[in-house]
Amino acid sequence: MTEATPIDETAAGFSERYGRAPVGVWSAPGRVNLIGEHTDYNDGFVFPFAIDQRAVVALGARDDRVVRVSSTFTPEAVEIHLDDLTPESLDGWSAYPLGVAWALGQFGADLSTVPGVDLHISSSVPVGAGLSSSAAIESSIALALDDHWNLGLDRPTLAKVGQLAENRVVGAPTGILDQSASLLSHADAAVFLDCRSLDAEVIPLGLVADGLSILVIDTNVTHAHATGGYAARRASCESGAKTLGVESLRDVHVGDLDRAATVLDEETFRRVRHIVSENQRVLDTVRTLREHGAGAIGPLLDASHVSMRDDFEITVPEIDLAVSTAQAHGAIGARMTGGGFGGSAIALVIDALVPVIEREVRAAFAEQGYRAPTTFVVRPSEGARRDA
Ligand code: GLA
């Protein structure tokens, strides 16, 4: 007997919940950002890839205008009439899927004529790990509803839909990185995205051919972007851009930093220096990858981490220990990935060293009395798709 896939299981969960089979099943992945952190809302560059953990949604048609959503995360199901969908009417976990339904209406979908749906969601993307479990849900729902309702929105627009749901409904002032990665990725490749023009280029990583792995070290220190530090960093970037007289920090280049130091306060200068140098590192990473392969990008990953730790100050001691331990035991490069204040580090590692680094990181955490990390290799995977 073959094992049930997450697709089969989610379809079966739908049938159990709603007493009939779904009309289709869609899925979308979480992401690892290889490099380019906090650059997205500064109109800059990012370079993420989709991971092989995914959110899965089974959808069933209805004759009326009610949307019901259930999931494997909580026993509670939420029900709302499409006429009542507003950002204010939504909260809790269902704000992600239902927020996407609302946001589709903000991007031209006529929600006054579409029929209701039943939705059942499951996900293997760890929550709070900095791997975009929320974007995985948003992107799977956006694609499912776009298909089912025949809206004809393209993927970059669906990414904006997910971002708007996150910003207006969930209340996190995040950029376009996560949803773009979830919707635009291809297997064994990363997405080079210009967050100003939204031009995206899929660039092969060649990890398998080069015998390399990306190891995720989830510190199990959970983060929440709706509060605190993330918004404060965004505000610093906006204030730095204003003082420098530019529309966004994308318009500041490494050669402008000396002048910036003379007009910005010390802390804002370091925030700006992170963004400006990180944009350059993304460009350098893409060029290095093309010319010399993934095995050559290690120093750029390491430098990105130092910049996030010392200039942008978004790492935590557990993340720094994960990175330094991986580096000390032979990682080609390592850095925190995602918004920060907890979450995960990634290490670029030759395949044979994966178990060594996993062991050493675990030992280093135990020695410090930190909670044990969760480590796993991620495969750069295909973006959102219809599975059944
Ligand atoms: C979170 C946000 C993204 C991005 C990253 C940092 O993942 O959702 O928009 O800003 O942090 O690069």
Side-chain angles (χ1 to χ4, degrees):
M1 210 177 88
T2 52
E3 232 177 83
T5 66
I7 308 305
D8 302 334
E9 281 171 6
T10 311
F14 179 100
S15 302
E16 206 173 295
R17 170 76 67 164
Y18 298 114
R20 66 189 194 285
V23 296
V25 183
W26 289 256
S27 69
R31 63 101 188 91
V32 150
N33 192 16
L34 195 53
I35 194 161
E37 227 63 82
H38 287 254
T39 45
D40 61 350
Y41 57 78
N42 288 295
D43 279 352
F45 304 106
V46 293
F47 196 36
F49 62 83
I51 58 177
D52 37 338
Q53 284 84 355
R54 306 177 76 88
V56 181
V57 57
L59 180 151
R62 292 179 66 103
D63 298 332
D64 59 10
R65 300 241 316 133
V66 169
V67 174
R68 284 193 296 182
V69 53
S70 62
S71 74
T72 53
F73 328 131
T74 82
E76 156 226 19
V78 176
E79 174 170 333
I80 192 163
H81 194 281
L82 277 164
D83 291 343
D84 298 334
L85 264 186
T86 58
E88 296 71 35
S89 62
L90 307 172
D91 64 2
W93 70 272
S94 66
Y96 294 93
L98 295 174
V100 166
W102 167 80
L104 284 166
Q106 306 301 301
F107 281 88
D110 183 1
L111 297 188
S112 70
T113 56
V114 295
V117 288
D118 286 333
L119 303 164
H120 183 67
I121 304 168
S122 70
S123 180
S124 59
V125 187
V127 174
L131 301 175
S132 295
S133 57
S134 49
I137 292 176
E138 290 153 7
S139 302
S140 63
I141 297 280
L143 192 67
L145 292 178
D146 180 75
D147 267 3
H148 183 66
W149 286 338
N150 280 317
L151 302 177
L153 299 176
D154 60 15
R155 286 180 179 237
T157 304
L158 294 179
K160 289 187 197 165
V161 164
Q163 184 196 9
L164 183 66
E166 186 103 20
N167 293 168
R168 282 293 309 284
V169 183
V170 181
T174 48
I176 194 75
L177 163 68
D178 307 336
Q179 295 80 9
S180 301
S182 187
L183 282 152
L184 304 178
S185 288
H186 289 249
D188 204 19
V191 181
F192 173 38
L193 178 71
D194 178 337
C195 299
R196 174 168 271 171
S197 65
L198 294 186
D199 284 346
E201 202 179 335
V202 174
I203 301 189
L205 288 169
L207 296 179
V208 177
D210 290 350
L212 299 174
S213 290
I214 304 269
L215 177 68
V216 170
I217 304 159
D218 175 5
T219 59
N220 289 314
V221 179
T222 54
H223 72 111
H225 291 324
T227 51
Y230 185 95
R233 293 303 180 279
R234 187 165 180 157
S236 290
C237 292
E238 281 160 9
S239 123
K242 195 159 173 237
T243 307
L244 293 171
V246 290
E247 191 193 318
S248 72
L249 293 182
R250 158 67 174 274
D251 302 314
V252 183
H253 302 279
V254 173
D256 304 325
L257 284 173
D258 285 348
R259 187 188 77 84
T262 65
V263 292
L264 297 171
D265 66 80
E266 191 271 338
E267 186 184 278
T268 308
F269 173 66
R270 283 188 291 113
R271 305 295 189 246
V272 168
R273 183 167 60 188
H274 165 70
I275 300 300
V276 171
S277 61
E278 185 79 347
N279 272 331
Q280 187 58 50
R281 280 186 291 272
V282 176
L283 300 176
D284 291 346
T285 300
V286 170
R287 199 194 57 241
T288 305
L289 182 66
R290 280 196 169 115
E291 288 174 3
H292 306 288
I297 67 171
L300 291 157
L301 304 183
D302 295 344
S304 171
H305 187 77
V306 170
S307 180
M308 290 190 288
R309 185 190 65 201
D310 298 346
D311 277 355
F312 218 57
E313 296 182 284
I314 51 170
T315 69
V316 294
E318 289 86 344
I319 288 275
D320 293 335
L321 182 65
V323 166
S324 60
T325 307
Q327 288 163 338
H329 292 90
I332 293 166
R335 63 184 291 277
M336 188 192 80
T337 188
F341 309 102
S344 298
I346 52 167
L348 175 63
V349 174
I350 56 169
D351 292 338
L353 273 183
V354 168
V356 176
I357 292 179
E358 288 184 299
R359 191 182 63 226
E360 294 296 338
V361 170
R362 211 171 295 285
F365 270 53
E367 196 177 316
Q368 288 299 314
Y370 293 159
R371 192 173 156 198
T374 309
T375 59
F376 49 96
V377 168
V378 283
R379 239 177 335 120
S381 299
E382 193 188 336
R385 62 178 181 232
R386 182 168 189 166
D387 294 286

